[in-house]
Amino acid sequence: MTKLRYAMVGGGRDAFIGAVHRKAMALDGEFEFVAGALSSSPDKALASGRDLGLADDRNHADWQALLADELKRPKTERIDCVSIVTPNHMHFPVARAFADAGIHVVCDKPLVHSSEQAAELAAVVARRGVVFGVTYNYTGYPMVREARDLVRSGAIGEVRKVIVEYNQGWLATRLEETLQKQADWRTDPARSGIAGAIGDIGSHAENLVATVTGLELDSLCADLTTFVPGRRLDDDGNLLLRFTNGARGVLIASQIEVGCENDLRLRVFGSSGTLDWHQEEPNTLLHSPIDGPRRVLTRGSAWLGEAARRATRLPTGHPEAFIEAFANVYLGVAAHIRALQSGAAPLPIEADYPTLADGARGVRFIEKTVESARSEHKWTRMD
Amino acid sequence: MTKLRYAMVGGGRDAFIGAVHRKAMALDGEFEFVAGALSSSPDKALASGRDLGLADDRNHADWQALLADELKRPKTERIDCVSIVTPNHMHFPVARAFADAGIHVVCDKPLVHSSEQAAELAAVVARRGVVFGVTYNYTGYPMVREARDLVRSGAIGEVRKVIVEYNQGWLATRLEETLQKQADWRTDPARSGIAGAIGDIGSHAENLVATVTGLELDSLCADLTTFVPGRRLDDDGNLLLRFTNGARGVLIASQIEVGCENDLRLRVFGSSGTLDWHQEEPNTLLHSPIDGPRRVLTRGSAWLGEAARRATRLPTGHPEAFIEAFANVYLGVAAHIRALQSGAAPLPIEADYPTLADGARGVRFIEKTVESARSEHKWTRMD
Amino acid sequence: MTKLRYAMVGGGRDAFIGAVHRKAMALDGEFEFVAGALSSSPDKALASGRDLGLADDRNHADWQALLADELKRPKTERIDCVSIVTPNHMHFPVARAFADAGIHVVCDKPLVHSSEQAAELAAVVARRGVVFGVTYNYTGYPMVREARDLVRSGAIGEVRKVIVEYNQGWLATRLEETLQKQADWRTDPARSGIAGAIGDIGSHAENLVATVTGLELDSLCADLTTFVPGRRLDDDGNLLLRFTNGARGVLIASQIEVGCENDLRLRVFGSSGTLDWHQEEPNTLLHSPIDGPRRVLTRGSAWLGEAARRATRLPTGHPEAFIEAFANVYLGVAAHIRALQSGAAPLPIEADYPTLADGARGVRFIEKTVESARSEHKWTRMD
Amino acid sequence: MTKLRYAMVGGGRDAFIGAVHRKAMALDGEFEFVAGALSSSPDKALASGRDLGLADDRNHADWQALLADELKRPKTERIDCVSIVTPNHMHFPVARAFADAGIHVVCDKPLVHSSEQAAELAAVVARRGVVFGVTYNYTGYPMVREARDLVRSGAIGEVRKVIVEYNQGWLATRLEETLQKQADWRTDPARSGIAGAIGDIGSHAENLVATVTGLELDSLCADLTTFVPGRRLDDDGNLLLRFTNGARGVLIASQIEVGCENDLRLRVFGSSGTLDWHQEEPNTLLHSPIDGPRRVLTRGSAWLGEAARRATRLPTGHPEAFIEAFANVYLGVAAHIRALQSGAAPLPIEADYPTLADGARGVRFIEKTVESARSEHKWTRMD
């Protein structure tokens, strides 16, 4: 089977997440990296492409040149999709342009800066019929998919409460002053958007809850704080949540919790059972039924559901981790692209990935969180 | 050294916490159980006293008779203190009467039903100069005391954030319908007070935060819910907290989280370090300094502070647990009583126990939590 | 119900385990401490008794005086049992004398120095019909009893393999040079016996295996080492085990494993399931059935067996620990004593405690381990 | 930088480990998969190659054809290396032939069936000067490399004792009867060699000890058992170890421990500290210094050594796992190949991978283990 050709925008030297995307796409042999515009700095873009072995004629100084060049190429050679891994503020123009050109898109989160942008992007995507994936990568973990299936199957009864936490500590000091690249743009409103921790990681937490529970947020009450003097965006956020079915929730997203690395944890409490998943030990899902002892579900086990099994590469005890979860998102996108290319109408079961709707909902969540935090009357409806 | 004589009010057949108090008092040989009025039901009171080997003339049908009888006895025989382990609504009249009679008091939490009662009780206690301990037992754990010392010593810098959770699941169904004694009175406003989970366990969480951090609560925003149909008090509470120093917090107290047993956890995030303690593994305290790896502090280790060492009976790895923590509270009370009895003016260092002020602050916390939850404007000042 | 009166031999100032025994006996109100000979040093013995509030006429300079005095007292006042918590070499003479006087005995482990002594003691005990408990305290943990019941019930099929480890690190340096009392006598062959770590903690491991699995040891192959220069007894032992049913095993007992506290762990592998218990988290037992996920069994849960439930004081999540396990051994002894005193012939179900037979088997285990380690042909039959 | 071209022998449909090797080689973009002979069954070999997108002219029915074809190709097109992922019995002939043809080799473990084969292979490799890696993949984990560095740096003093366990349960029943491919060949002496569990996973354990500690094995005492009726090789092995420096050890390798997945754990006890690493949570290494609390070292932290940092792709808390460790072995091989190709004489620091010497030592370990288990006199010198 031939590989899908992809270009990357962003992800050059000093970037972090671009390399993760490339490794995730390389892992299963579904994608081939053929073109790029890897930095907003033309020199760095070209140097980065050479580092990574891009052919000179497909290594571009900016994304406009990349797009123009691809459109000149015959379909048999043109990229199938683009992976957008720039700082947030570039997601919108790049994604819109490539989608509008009929090229499938994978874009990092948070999707765009505003619900208006999200709506405009959605219109383009719908018109052109392209595949659009958003790399809420944590939903790619097999045990997250198992959790989703368990909730859907009724294994824990009706969901009553959710606690989701995303605890990090790497911004507990003013790291951006050192010009560390990740800290630099994430704390800059022009590039990051209206929110700091809430946008960067709170949006992952929101997506994880929505994906696993299927619950719809009704309203929220947010307390956002900037602890590090001189920082321009929130570095800590704590929210109370209410869902339309009456469930309640707590969402914590912080980047000043010293000693916390990438401590994303989701607990879902139902009327007859509880699920507990922790990103730092992703191969395990704890399930506590109301009428028996806690069950330690592990990736690769015979008793897991179909979705978790499909997302699994290795036997139990041979841990899979962050890159594999990322790769699962890309496998979902690939399955969808291949289904479209082969003319197969219905979405295949393998096309399991976060979509533009997830991205748009995430933008809405950020907007409402900031609105709640800024208002006097804190509880804010999602409308 | 002669033992301190005590009487117990409440804690008869079918009770849970009374036996814990008795075991805690027996553990270290400091107290001798000599009298009681062990139930609000006279027959059960007398039968319970016989079960426990009380002499007939000190085994009473009600607490008034107990008090009257003790006051008739010579000082050399009279009880030194009373332990009050009734349902909440009886704390106030019993505590006030014994304190007013000059008998030292240990009372379970939450202290009383209202701040007015707390103030009245405080006045009596002050006038009579009796020792008054409140069994916020979790503060008796050696590693909680170590946490307190680490915060005070500046080991984690300035406290920025607190997450405290008290997760239980035993009231996820309508257990009170079975007349299970613990569920029955805890879900009855007449006996439990204005709050359910928040009163029963949220108050422990509040006390743990205050004890360890020394922070003063400025305001709170609470969401209280009753999930189990027909229940009259909240069984789930989630709060955002603001402290007077600018620190923020999240407090979770729930009794409907299936599979959670007695999952009390405190995390304190400072500008240069983090502490993490978990009641279900109480011999361990995690300390994450900002400039090095996480340190696993264990009870009994040579490198712990004085307060943790004083509260320790066994070497490392020989676990101590719930009853020992409880006993530590009682040892603190005993040290205070003995200091008063011996005429030693200053409070000895061993007199490390939660006081009436803790109890009163806990009542205020419950009142403000309920006020916030009921109001339209959710953020409520502690004033 | 009147308390059982007990005397203690050993356990004075500077001792460790004597205080544990006293707290364990105090915990449940079954025992009353009335007499003692608390040290081999007469002065220290008397001073220790005064510390602990013994009446002068029952506080003795040596155990012979204690015994003589008790035998002069009327039965209504005489001790019911003696608790022997001396260094090992005194177990035999003291236990024999008290048993021979018709007084029930609880003795610490390892029981005596040789199988000959064990046999002589057994003869005395049988002749006088006294209760004789050996404080293999770890078998008192509720979850150990649950493990035993699960094995017996066939829940894990036929036992194929056992791994038992007792990892400590406190003797990784030559602590005995400091005259630290615990290290001093444990490394002295005259007081400790022919074995060091194997006698002190290996014997606990042996007992735990035998208690939980009921398997009989067929032969063993031991490697004993003394790592710390100048030390006279082994401080590290590693054994291969074969059982009469064909099961195999590994036993590790070490006191030089730096950083290990009291890390006793037992894993039992059966043809259809596995059990895993860890003393440092004693309220949990892991059960892995062959056809489903691992089950986390916790003390106090409704789905545990009768023996675990009987040994439990507190609800789930309210941890019990070392002293409670110790106390459970004493409760078993107390039940047996009371049954004999009341003339009830059959042993009550509550009389669940390690007996003289456990003690004797433990002595045999130590002898054979040392024999194996010293021989050229390492595999040694238990005969 | 151009990719290294590789062929694979073995690893076709139904195989497990071949796909892992391919993903590991794909991950970092260092290798390109260009040719193969993917099964011992010609039809399956060709079908498997087509599945994976091999060009028809480089997709071969057997390894001899593959080798012959490659040797006909110009150097600019020829494979740089071969990856051998067949059942064990094919390692020797294939590795010898490719090495003899001057092609670099990566071969799975255990290397070959006998020390004679290992010696012959070593002679060929030395004569032709090819790079030869053996995929003891667990040594590729960053925290294993950190452990190695800590031992070498003296952080734990002199090594006194090692406990290494490799606990699996997947062969607790006679899975080979179902013709499950992994079970089938591993339990067949003709394909697996003289040992079962000890060869398959015990050899990993031996390698992990040797790699981390640098200790040389002096002698061993082994107990091998076949628990599952009808099985022809051992499925459980327990060993006592002695090292030339006086250190002692225990090695456990079992495939009948129900509920164990891939539970490889190494503990190294030194005179002044202890290390503890667990493959199922590979991003963490516990370090217990003798004079302070346990330190939780995590992959990606600033305070780790150079080797661990070089082997790391993602920030702390973003877990890496099995495939990344495998890829690190391949990165080491790639660095060595590139150094040779560029004429750089000294081995670069990045060339961190298990070599033929590791493989040969592993074969010797298996032979001696089986010899010990079969002998009457169990302790066997490594000579």
Side-chain angles (χ1 to χ4, degrees):
Chain A
M1 190 178 267
T2 58
K3 297 182 176 187
L4 296 173
R5 291 177 299 275
Y6 80 92
M8 180 166 274
V9 178
R13 289 177 177 178
D14 301 337
F16 151 54
I17 206 66
V20 173
H21 283 249
R22 289 191 297 270
K23 289 177 194 296
M25 281 191 273
L27 187 69
D28 300 303
E30 282 284 302
F31 291 92
E32 186 179 2
F33 180 35
V34 300
L38 299 169
S39 172
S40 58
S41 149
D43 287 350
K44 191 188 279 189
L46 295 172
S48 300
R50 282 192 296 271
D51 289 350
L52 296 168
L54 285 184
D56 282 349
D57 66 333
R58 300 189 87 166
N59 184 20
H60 301 280
D62 58 55
W63 65 268
Q64 293 90 341
L66 165 65
L67 178 56
D69 179 66
E70 287 299 324
L71 293 177
K72 282 185 277 182
R73 295 180 183 270
K75 280 247 169 180
T76 53
E77 188 185 308
R78 190 183 299 166
I79 54 171
D80 295 288
C81 61
V82 66
S83 175
I84 304 171
V85 295
T86 62
N88 301 344
H89 67 301
M90 293 304 296
H91 291 176
F92 177 64
V94 181
R96 184 180 51 183
F98 278 80
D100 203 28
I103 293 169
H104 304 299
V105 177
V106 177
C107 183
D108 217 326
K109 45 46 62 185
L111 182 61
V112 289
H113 273 356
S114 69
S115 288
E116 289 68 31
Q117 289 181 343
E120 185 176 337
L121 192 53
V124 172
V125 166
R127 192 175 68 237
R128 298 303 309 254
V130 295
V131 171
F132 199 106
V134 181
T135 46
Y136 284 115
N137 50 292
Y138 298 113
T139 62
Y141 276 113
M143 299 316 286
V144 169
R145 295 185 176 179
E146 179 71 10
R148 183 185 61 185
D149 281 5
L150 285 170
V151 172
R152 287 182 185 168
S153 74
I156 62 167
E158 194 188 11
V159 175
R160 287 174 167 174
K161 182 171 180 181
V162 171
I163 303 175
V164 63
E165 321 169 52
Y166 202 146
N167 305 293
Q168 293 187 335
W170 67 293
L171 291 176
T173 60
R174 203 165 165 200
L175 188 60
E176 56 268 39
E177 283 192 322
T178 68
L179 296 184
Q180 198 261 15
K181 186 180 159 68
Q182 304 313 315
D184 180 39
W185 76 255
R186 278 184 175 76
T187 59
D188 173 7
R191 287 174 285 172
S192 192
I194 57 175
I198 278 295
D200 190 26
I201 59 175
S203 59
H204 274 300
E206 180 277 335
N207 184 262
L208 190 62
V209 169
T211 301
V212 169
T213 67
L215 294 186
E216 188 185 352
L217 206 51
D218 173 79
S219 52
L220 53 78
C221 173
D223 195 17
L224 301 186
T225 308
T226 303
F227 279 107
V228 174
R231 183 163 289 160
R232 289 174 290 164
L233 291 171
D234 63 281
D235 47 28
D236 181 77
N238 307 296
L239 286 79
L240 304 179
L241 308 177
R242 292 181 179 171
F243 298 91
T244 55
N245 78 330
R248 302 301 166 99
V250 175
L251 186 152
I252 296 168
S254 180
Q255 295 180 315
I256 55 88
E257 293 173 355
V258 170
C260 294
E261 299 183 342
N262 199 41
D263 179 13
L264 170 63
R265 181 184 182 194
L266 173 67
R267 283 172 279 179
V268 182
F269 303 98
S271 53
S272 62
T274 288
L275 298 174
D276 187 352
W277 180 79
H278 199 161
Q279 193 271 152
E280 293 184 347
E281 295 180 17
N283 294 282
T284 299
L285 172 67
L286 301 178
H287 171 215
S288 302
I290 199 168
D291 55 357
R294 186 166 291 165
R295 306 160 74 230
V296 183
L297 299 169
T298 53
R299 190 193 48 72
S301 301
W303 35 81
L304 300 189
E306 191 51 32
R309 284 207 247 172
R310 261 201 318 276
T312 293
R313 291 162 185 78
L314 301 177
T316 56
H318 299 69
E320 297 186 16
F322 191 83
I323 292 176
E324 287 88 335
F326 236 104
N328 286 337
V329 171
Y330 272 105
L331 287 181
V333 170
H336 197 177
I337 293 175
R338 290 193 191 279
L340 286 181
Q341 289 179 341
S342 70
L347 200 62
I349 192 169
E350 292 80 10
D352 194 348
Y353 66 93
T355 65
L356 195 59
D358 289 275
R361 202 190 53 245
V363 170
R364 192 65 163 174
F365 166 76
I366 294 169
E367 291 172 332
K368 288 295 175 180
T369 296
V370 172
E371 178 185 332
S372 169
R374 289 181 182 162
S375 72
E376 283 303 301
H377 189 289
K378 299 293 180 178
W379 279 98
T380 303
R381 298 293 302 273
M382 294 304 290
D383 44 66
Chain B
M1 188 178 269
T2 57
K3 296 183 177 188
L4 297 173
R5 291 178 299 276
Y6 79 93
M8 179 165 274
V9 178
R13 290 178 178 177
D14 301 338
F16 152 55
I17 206 65
V20 173
H21 284 250
R22 288 191 299 268
K23 290 176 194 295
M25 279 190 275
L27 188 68
D28 300 303
E30 281 285 302
F31 291 93
E32 185 180 3
F33 179 36
V34 298
L38 299 170
S39 173
S40 57
S41 149
D43 287 350
K44 192 189 277 189
L46 294 173
S48 301
R50 281 191 298 269
D51 290 348
L52 296 167
L54 287 183
D56 283 348
D57 66 333
R58 299 188 88 166
N59 183 21
H60 301 280
D62 56 56
W63 66 268
Q64 291 92 341
L66 163 65
L67 178 56
D69 180 66
E70 289 298 326
L71 293 177
K72 280 184 280 183
R73 295 178 182 270
K75 278 247 170 180
T76 52
E77 188 185 307
R78 192 183 298 167
I79 55 172
D80 295 287
C81 60
V82 66
S83 175
I84 304 171
V85 296
T86 62
N88 302 342
H89 66 301
M90 294 304 296
H91 292 176
F92 177 63
V94 180
R96 185 179 50 181
F98 278 81
D100 202 30
I103 293 170
H104 303 299
V105 176
V106 176
C107 183
D108 217 326
K109 42 51 58 187
L111 182 62
V112 290
H113 273 357
S114 70
S115 288
E116 288 67 32
Q117 290 182 342
E120 185 176 336
L121 191 54
V124 172
V125 166
R127 191 174 68 237
R128 298 302 308 255
V130 295
V131 171
F132 198 105
V134 181
T135 45
Y136 284 115
N137 51 293
Y138 299 113
T139 64
Y141 276 114
M143 300 314 288
V144 168
R145 295 185 175 178
E146 178 72 11
R148 183 186 61 186
D149 280 5
L150 285 170
V151 171
R152 286 181 185 169
S153 74
I156 64 166
E158 193 188 12
V159 174
R160 287 173 167 175
K161 183 172 179 179
V162 171
I163 304 177
V164 63
E165 323 169 51
Y166 202 147
N167 306 291
Q168 293 186 336
W170 67 294
L171 290 177
T173 59
R174 203 164 166 202
L175 189 60
E176 57 267 41
E177 283 191 322
T178 67
L179 296 183
Q180 200 262 11
K181 186 181 160 68
Q182 305 313 316
D184 180 39
W185 75 256
R186 278 182 175 77
T187 59
D188 173 9
R191 287 174 285 171
S192 192
I194 58 175
I198 278 296
D200 189 26
I201 59 175
S203 58
H204 273 299
E206 181 276 335
N207 184 262
L208 190 62
V209 170
T211 301
V212 169
T213 68
L215 294 186
E216 187 185 352
L217 206 50
D218 173 80
S219 52
L220 54 78
C221 173
D223 196 17
L224 301 186
T225 309
T226 303
F227 279 109
V228 173
R231 182 164 290 161
R232 287 173 293 165
L233 291 170
D234 63 281
D235 47 28
D236 181 79
N238 307 296
L239 285 78
L240 304 178
L241 308 176
R242 291 180 179 172
F243 298 91
T244 55
N245 78 330
R248 303 300 167 99
V250 175
L251 186 152
I252 296 169
S254 181
Q255 296 180 314
I256 56 89
E257 293 173 355
V258 171
C260 294
E261 298 183 342
N262 199 40
D263 179 13
L264 169 63
R265 182 183 181 195
L266 172 67
R267 284 173 279 180
V268 182
F269 304 98
S271 54
S272 63
T274 288
L275 298 174
D276 188 354
W277 179 78
H278 198 160
Q279 194 271 150
E280 293 184 348
E281 296 180 16
N283 294 282
T284 299
L285 171 68
L286 301 178
H287 172 214
S288 302
I290 197 168
D291 55 356
R294 185 165 293 166
R295 307 161 74 231
V296 183
L297 299 169
T298 52
R299 190 193 46 72
S301 302
W303 34 84
L304 299 190
E306 191 51 31
R309 284 208 249 173
R310 261 201 319 277
T312 292
R313 289 162 186 80
L314 301 177
T316 57
H318 300 69
E320 296 186 16
F322 191 84
I323 291 174
E324 286 89 337
F326 235 106
N328 286 337
V329 171
Y330 272 104
L331 287 182
V333 170
H336 198 177
I337 293 175
R338 290 192 191 278
L340 286 182
Q341 289 179 342
S342 70
L347 199 62
I349 193 168
E350 293 80 9
D352 195 347
Y353 66 93
T355 65
L356 193 61
D358 290 275
R361 200 189 55 245
V363 170
R364 192 65 162 174
F365 166 76
I366 294 169
E367 290 171 333
K368 288 297 177 180
T369 296
V370 171
E371 177 184 333
S372 169
R374 288 182 183 161
S375 73
E376 282 303 299
H377 189 289
K378 299 292 179 177
W379 278 98
T380 303
R381 298 292 302 272
M382 294 305 289
D383 42 69
Chain C
M1 190 179 269
T2 58
K3 295 184 179 188
L4 296 173
R5 292 177 299 275
Y6 79 92
M8 179 166 275
V9 177
R13 289 178 176 176
D14 301 339
F16 152 53
I17 206 66
V20 174
H21 285 249
R22 288 191 297 270
K23 289 177 193 297
M25 281 190 275
L27 188 68
D28 301 301
E30 282 285 301
F31 292 92
E32 186 179 2
F33 180 35
V34 299
L38 298 170
S39 173
S40 56
S41 150
D43 286 351
K44 190 187 280 189
L46 294 173
S48 301
R50 282 191 297 269
D51 289 351
L52 296 167
L54 286 184
D56 284 348
D57 66 333
R58 298 189 89 166
N59 184 21
H60 300 280
D62 56 58
W63 65 267
Q64 291 93 340
L66 164 65
L67 179 56
D69 179 67
E70 289 298 326
L71 294 178
K72 281 185 278 182
R73 294 179 183 272
K75 280 248 169 182
T76 53
E77 188 185 308
R78 191 184 299 167
I79 55 171
D80 296 287
C81 61
V82 66
S83 176
I84 305 172
V85 296
T86 64
N88 301 342
H89 67 301
M90 293 304 297
H91 292 176
F92 177 64
V94 180
R96 186 180 49 183
F98 279 80
D100 202 28
I103 293 169
H104 303 300
V105 177
V106 176
C107 183
D108 217 326
K109 43 48 60 188
L111 182 62
V112 288
H113 273 357
S114 69
S115 287
E116 288 67 32
Q117 290 181 343
E120 186 176 335
L121 192 54
V124 172
V125 166
R127 192 173 65 238
R128 298 304 309 254
V130 295
V131 171
F132 199 105
V134 181
T135 46
Y136 283 116
N137 51 292
Y138 298 113
T139 63
Y141 276 114
M143 300 316 286
V144 168
R145 296 185 175 177
E146 178 72 10
R148 182 185 62 184
D149 281 4
L150 285 169
V151 171
R152 287 182 185 169
S153 75
I156 64 166
E158 194 190 11
V159 174
R160 286 173 167 174
K161 183 171 180 180
V162 171
I163 303 176
V164 63
E165 322 170 50
Y166 202 146
N167 306 292
Q168 292 186 337
W170 66 294
L171 290 177
T173 60
R174 203 165 166 200
L175 189 59
E176 56 268 41
E177 284 190 322
T178 67
L179 297 184
Q180 197 262 14
K181 185 179 160 69
Q182 304 313 316
D184 181 39
W185 74 256
R186 278 182 174 77
T187 59
D188 174 7
R191 287 174 287 172
S192 192
I194 58 175
I198 278 297
D200 190 26
I201 59 175
S203 58
H204 273 300
E206 182 276 335
N207 184 261
L208 190 61
V209 170
T211 302
V212 170
T213 69
L215 293 187
E216 188 185 352
L217 207 51
D218 172 81
S219 53
L220 55 77
C221 173
D223 196 18
L224 300 187
T225 308
T226 303
F227 279 109
V228 174
R231 183 164 289 160
R232 289 173 291 164
L233 290 171
D234 63 280
D235 48 26
D236 182 77
N238 307 296
L239 286 79
L240 304 179
L241 308 176
R242 291 180 180 172
F243 297 92
T244 55
N245 77 331
R248 303 301 167 99
V250 175
L251 185 152
I252 296 169
S254 180
Q255 295 179 315
I256 56 86
E257 293 172 356
V258 171
C260 293
E261 299 183 342
N262 199 40
D263 180 12
L264 169 63
R265 182 185 181 194
L266 173 68
R267 285 172 278 179
V268 182
F269 303 99
S271 53
S272 63
T274 288
L275 299 175
D276 188 353
W277 179 78
H278 198 160
Q279 192 272 151
E280 293 184 348
E281 296 180 17
N283 294 283
T284 298
L285 171 68
L286 301 178
H287 171 215
S288 303
I290 198 167
D291 55 357
R294 185 166 293 165
R295 305 161 75 230
V296 183
L297 299 169
T298 51
R299 190 193 48 71
S301 302
W303 35 83
L304 300 189
E306 191 52 31
R309 283 206 250 174
R310 261 200 318 277
T312 292
R313 289 162 187 78
L314 302 177
T316 57
H318 299 69
E320 296 186 17
F322 190 84
I323 291 174
E324 287 88 335
F326 236 104
N328 285 337
V329 170
Y330 273 105
L331 286 182
V333 170
H336 197 176
I337 293 175
R338 291 194 191 277
L340 286 181
Q341 290 178 341
S342 71
L347 199 63
I349 194 168
E350 293 79 11
D352 194 349
Y353 66 92
T355 65
L356 194 60
D358 289 275
R361 200 189 56 243
V363 171
R364 193 65 164 174
F365 166 77
I366 294 170
E367 290 171 333
K368 289 297 176 179
T369 296
V370 172
E371 178 186 331
S372 169
R374 288 181 183 163
S375 73
E376 284 303 300
H377 189 290
K378 299 292 181 177
W379 278 98
T380 303
R381 299 291 302 272
M382 294 305 289
D383 41 68
Chain D
M1 189 180 268
T2 58
K3 296 183 177 186
L4 296 172
R5 291 176 300 275
Y6 80 91
M8 179 165 275
V9 177
R13 290 178 177 176
D14 300 338
F16 152 53
I17 205 66
V20 173
H21 284 250
R22 289 191 298 269
K23 289 177 194 297
M25 282 191 273
L27 188 68
D28 300 302
E30 280 285 302
F31 292 93
E32 186 179 3
F33 180 34
V34 299
L38 298 170
S39 172
S40 57
S41 149
D43 286 351
K44 191 188 277 188
L46 295 173
S48 301
R50 282 191 297 270
D51 290 350
L52 296 167
L54 286 183
D56 283 349
D57 66 333
R58 298 189 89 165
N59 184 21
H60 300 280
D62 57 56
W63 65 268
Q64 292 92 341
L66 164 65
L67 178 56
D69 180 65
E70 288 298 326
L71 293 178
K72 281 185 278 184
R73 294 180 184 271
K75 281 248 169 180
T76 53
E77 189 185 307
R78 191 184 297 167
I79 55 172
D80 295 287
C81 62
V82 65
S83 175
I84 303 172
V85 295
T86 63
N88 302 343
H89 67 301
M90 295 304 297
H91 292 177
F92 177 63
V94 179
R96 184 178 54 181
F98 278 81
D100 202 28
I103 293 169
H104 303 300
V105 177
V106 176
C107 183
D108 218 324
K109 45 47 57 186
L111 182 62
V112 289
H113 272 358
S114 69
S115 287
E116 289 68 31
Q117 290 180 343
E120 186 176 335
L121 191 54
V124 171
V125 166
R127 193 174 67 236
R128 297 302 310 255
V130 294
V131 172
F132 199 104
V134 181
T135 44
Y136 284 115
N137 49 292
Y138 298 113
T139 64
Y141 276 113
M143 299 316 286
V144 169
R145 295 184 176 178
E146 178 71 11
R148 184 186 60 186
D149 282 5
L150 285 170
V151 172
R152 286 182 185 168
S153 73
I156 63 166
E158 193 189 11
V159 175
R160 287 174 168 175
K161 182 171 179 180
V162 172
I163 303 176
V164 63
E165 321 170 50
Y166 202 146
N167 306 292
Q168 292 186 336
W170 66 293
L171 291 176
T173 59
R174 204 165 165 201
L175 189 59
E176 56 268 40
E177 282 191 324
T178 67
L179 298 183
Q180 197 260 17
K181 186 181 159 69
Q182 304 312 317
D184 180 39
W185 76 256
R186 278 182 174 78
T187 59
D188 174 9
R191 286 175 286 172
S192 191
I194 58 174
I198 279 296
D200 190 27
I201 60 176
S203 58
H204 273 299
E206 181 278 333
N207 184 261
L208 190 62
V209 170
T211 300
V212 169
T213 68
L215 294 186
E216 187 185 353
L217 206 52
D218 173 81
S219 52
L220 55 77
C221 173
D223 195 18
L224 300 186
T225 309
T226 303
F227 279 108
V228 174
R231 184 163 288 161
R232 288 172 293 164
L233 291 171
D234 63 281
D235 47 27
D236 181 78
N238 306 297
L239 284 80
L240 304 179
L241 307 177
R242 292 180 179 171
F243 297 92
T244 55
N245 78 331
R248 302 302 166 98
V250 175
L251 186 151
I252 296 168
S254 179
Q255 296 179 316
I256 56 86
E257 293 173 354
V258 171
C260 294
E261 299 183 341
N262 199 41
D263 179 13
L264 171 62
R265 182 183 180 194
L266 174 67
R267 283 173 279 179
V268 182
F269 303 98
S271 52
S272 62
T274 289
L275 298 174
D276 187 353
W277 180 78
H278 198 161
Q279 193 272 152
E280 293 184 348
E281 294 180 17
N283 294 283
T284 299
L285 172 67
L286 302 178
H287 171 214
S288 302
I290 199 168
D291 55 356
R294 186 165 292 164
R295 305 162 75 233
V296 183
L297 299 169
T298 52
R299 191 194 45 72
S301 301
W303 34 83
L304 300 189
E306 191 51 31
R309 283 207 249 173
R310 262 203 316 278
T312 292
R313 289 163 187 79
L314 302 177
T316 57
H318 299 68
E320 296 186 16
F322 191 83
I323 291 175
E324 287 88 337
F326 234 105
N328 285 338
V329 171
Y330 272 105
L331 287 182
V333 170
H336 197 179
I337 293 175
R338 290 193 190 278
L340 286 181
Q341 288 177 344
S342 71
L347 199 62
I349 193 169
E350 291 80 9
D352 194 348
Y353 66 93
T355 66
L356 194 59
D358 289 275
R361 200 189 55 246
V363 170
R364 194 63 162 175
F365 166 76
I366 294 169
E367 290 171 334
K368 289 296 177 181
T369 297
V370 172
E371 180 186 329
S372 169
R374 289 181 182 161
S375 74
E376 284 303 300
H377 189 289
K378 300 292 180 178
W379 278 99
T380 303
R381 299 292 302 273
M382 292 306 289
D383 41 69

